[in-house]
Amino acid sequence: MENMAFPGTLVVNGKGKGIVVSTGMRSTLGRVLVMLELTEPKTNYEKAIKAFSKFLIKGILVGITFIFIINTLTGKAFFDSALFSLALAVGLSLSRCQSS
């Protein structure tokens, strides 16, 4: 690797010409980045938040399905029941996002 200039190389004075031999992930710095690229394992907190979010989504789906069925059985129009259930689902989802 003689006579090579890398990103961050400091030149005190003088002139120079250079030829680009590789860029991006094919450069030496890119290969080092690939070697260092590791995914961090999820923490217990992240796992718990994901599990809780799934629980909330399941609860909301069960709740709006129940409300839709009850509204339909009590004589409300099908479209009105569906629209009410959808509005309720959106409202509950947004309220859960704000409280997190």
Side-chain angles (χ1 to χ4, degrees):
M1 298 246 178
E2 265 182 47
N3 300 323
M4 298 288 281
F6 297 100
T9 301
L10 298 175
V11 178
V12 178
N13 63 15
K15 292 183 190 179
K17 288 185 181 181
I19 298 173
V20 176
V21 292
S22 61
T23 60
M25 298 310 277
R26 284 186 252 143
S27 68
T28 304
L29 189 63
R31 287 192 299 252
V32 169
L33 179 67
V34 168
M35 286 188 279
L36 293 177
E37 189 176 79
L38 301 172
T39 56
E40 293 183 20
K42 293 193 181 221
T43 63
N44 287 336
Y45 177 74
E46 290 171 326
K47 291 176 187 175
I49 290 294
K50 189 170 186 171
F52 184 65
S53 297
K54 286 181 181 180
F55 171 75
L56 284 178
I57 290 171
K58 288 176 186 175
I60 289 171
L61 288 175
V62 168
I64 63 170
T65 303
F66 177 74
I67 289 172
F68 174 75
I69 291 170
I70 296 298
N71 272 345
T72 305
L73 291 176
T74 58
K76 304 276 196 282
F78 179 82
F79 181 73
D80 290 342
S81 297
L83 197 59
F84 178 72
S85 296
L86 180 65
L88 191 59
V90 169
L92 286 173
S93 300
L94 291 177
S95 71
R96 296 294 179 207
C97 288
Q98 290 174 351
S99 67
S100 296

